[in-house]
Amino acid sequence: MTPLLTLRDVVVEFPAVSGIKALLTPPEKRRVRALDGVSLDVQAGETLAVVGESGSGKTTLARAINGLVPLAGGQVTFDGLALHERPDWHTVRRRVAMMFQDPVGSLSPRKTVRDLVLEPFVIHGIKLADRQAKAVQLLADAGLGPDFLNRYPHQLSGGQARRVGVARALALTPTLVLADEPTAGLDVSVQGEILNLMNRIKTDHGLTTLIITHNLNILRHIADRIAVMYLGRIVEVGPVERLLTAPAHPYTRALMAANPEPDPTARRERIVLKGETPALNARPTGCEFHPRCPIARPDCATRVPLLEPATTGGRVACHYPLTKEPAPA
Ligand SMILES: Nc1ncnc2c1ncn2[C@@H]1O[C@H](COP(=O)(O)OP(=O)(O)O)[C@@H](O)[C@H]1O
Ligand SMILES: [Mg+2]
């Protein structure tokens, strides 16, 4: 089966320094690679979860797919369309919806909920026979009553703002949804509600979803596969069950063990792992995880591991992948 979405060797670069400092920096150090050769297939109807510490490139990956950041290299194909060949983004974004990381901050503060959920139709020049009915229906699908129509974003809780984000994302019945940390910053009970909503989106609408999350409940109950990112690269990808119970990459094991504390004040889900993530302009040699890896051997500092089939299924970029279930910590 041809995948709905294919990424091949995708590279995204950002300026590392600016202004006068850039003039004093050698050209090869002026830019950093936030995505460094990402290849990935997403099948139609599949929910792929992307995990990794803060700064590993998850948001950049979602933004690269729908053209919010330019590619410095590689190919992205969506339903036969070559997105790396300057497509008509307006048309593409009708079919690829984005749920942004910060639920309240991503909604224009001066618009009412009615205008916010109808905005996709305005942007795409779609005339609606009955705007009111459409707004009510979209809100209802996202679990909000009509009493929310006239509210402004600052009058919404984090969970309600998330629901408005869901209503907006589903407004144009997209094919692919990119959801960036949909449960971050929410109380555990509200996380559960959003979880149910995401589950319904999956079953009722049969949507293909790329969901950035560290929420183990999302991983367990919604995701089909997990892709693990480190410093802008995929270090392991495979079926959820396998990555949760028998990760092949030591980084995956550490991530899954560092179950993040639910923190309602955080806009991001935090993962606490031993050691610092290296800066993108100071990538370690060999396997980039080796300075933090508990099982690194001398050659890990010199040889770059490729993403290769793991004996347990999926693919892993590690010279000495774990083969058994990890011992309890
Ligand atoms: N617009 C930008 N300009 C410069 N650097 C950026 C920009 N967006 C992201 N980055 C850098 O790219 C890296 C990946 O960021 P991001 O994709 O937001 O990571 P994540 O979502 O996994 O936390 C980080 O080092 C971040 O500082
Ligand atoms: Mg992010």
Side-chain angles (χ1 to χ4, degrees):
M1 198 167 60
T2 317
L4 178 70
L5 178 73
T6 302
L7 281 75
R8 285 290 171 267
D9 305 317
V10 168
V11 176
V12 170
E13 295 184 335
F14 290 118
V17 287
S18 59
I20 201 96
K21 218 171 153 207
L23 299 175
L24 305 170
T25 308
E28 71 277 8
K29 293 205 167 156
R30 283 180 202 161
R31 302 183 71 74
V32 290
R33 288 194 160 186
L35 293 184
D36 193 6
V38 171
S39 298
L40 199 60
D41 287 340
V42 184
Q43 304 295 338
E46 178 179 44
T47 299
L48 177 79
V50 179
V51 304
E53 287 166 288
S54 193
S56 57
K58 307 179 299 294
T59 297
T60 303
L61 179 69
R63 292 168 60 87
I65 293 167
N66 76 347
L68 296 174
V69 290
L71 303 190
Q75 293 99 40
V76 180
T77 311
F78 166 70
D79 204 10
L81 284 169
L83 302 189
H84 49 281
E85 288 173 350
R86 300 172 174 272
D88 174 9
W89 283 112
H90 197 67
T91 315
V92 173
R93 290 194 195 117
R94 259 183 91 148
R95 303 189 52 209
V96 182
M98 179 111 182
M99 286 171 56
F100 291 95
Q101 186 163 312
D102 171 15
V104 181
S106 60
L107 302 173
S108 329
R110 288 195 191 81
K111 289 206 160 97
T112 61
V113 166
R114 175 193 287 99
D115 290 343
L116 286 167
V117 298
L118 294 177
E119 195 174 38
F121 299 97
V122 177
I123 292 172
H124 290 276
I126 299 166
K127 290 258 186 307
L128 288 168
D130 189 342
R131 286 171 50 86
Q132 179 76 6
K134 190 71 190 177
V136 170
Q137 176 232 316
L138 286 171
L139 282 187
D141 284 350
L144 291 175
D147 46 318
F148 282 91
L149 285 171
N150 293 318
R151 294 205 198 168
Y152 288 90
H154 73 269
Q155 297 170 312
L156 302 174
S157 70
Q160 290 159 356
R162 261 296 161 211
R163 288 176 188 277
V164 172
V166 170
R168 276 165 63 89
L170 299 185
L172 303 176
T173 54
T175 310
L176 173 68
V177 173
L178 310 170
D180 198 350
E181 302 196 20
T183 57
L186 302 177
D187 290 331
V188 178
S189 63
V190 184
Q191 286 189 10
E193 292 170 20
I194 298 297
L195 187 76
N196 290 339
L197 182 58
M198 297 300 295
N199 224 339
R200 244 187 45 223
I201 292 173
K202 179 178 172 167
T203 48
D204 294 2
H205 301 261
L207 280 180
T208 309
T209 317
L210 188 145
I211 182 166
I212 297 167
T213 188
H214 305 300
N215 187 318
L216 281 179
N217 285 322
I218 288 197
L219 296 178
R220 278 202 197 97
H221 299 299
I222 300 185
D224 299 304
R225 283 191 306 144
I226 302 180
V228 181
M229 293 190 69
Y230 192 69
L231 294 181
R233 293 184 179 172
I234 291 177
V235 296
E236 181 163 16
V237 59
V240 169
E241 196 45 41
R242 214 263 297 147
L243 263 74
L244 289 176
T245 58
H249 201 292
Y251 179 63
T252 309
R253 181 173 69 180
L255 264 190
M256 298 310 174
N259 191 356
E261 296 277 310
D263 177 0
T265 60
R267 284 186 177 172
R268 291 161 172 246
E269 290 157 336
R270 287 197 202 122
I271 301 178
V272 186
L273 252 174
K274 254 188 280 173
E276 294 273 310
T277 318
L280 291 178
N281 60 5
R283 289 176 176 275
T285 56
C287 169
E288 295 181 332
F289 186 59
H290 88 265
R292 298 172 81 192
C293 182
I295 58 163
R297 301 190 203 178
D299 62 332
C300 294
T302 53
R303 288 198 299 135
V304 178
L306 302 174
L307 196 58
E308 285 170 346
T311 52
T312 44
R315 288 182 299 155
V316 64
C318 176
H319 296 309
Y320 304 102
L322 307 163
T323 49
K324 293 195 299 278
E325 283 199 27

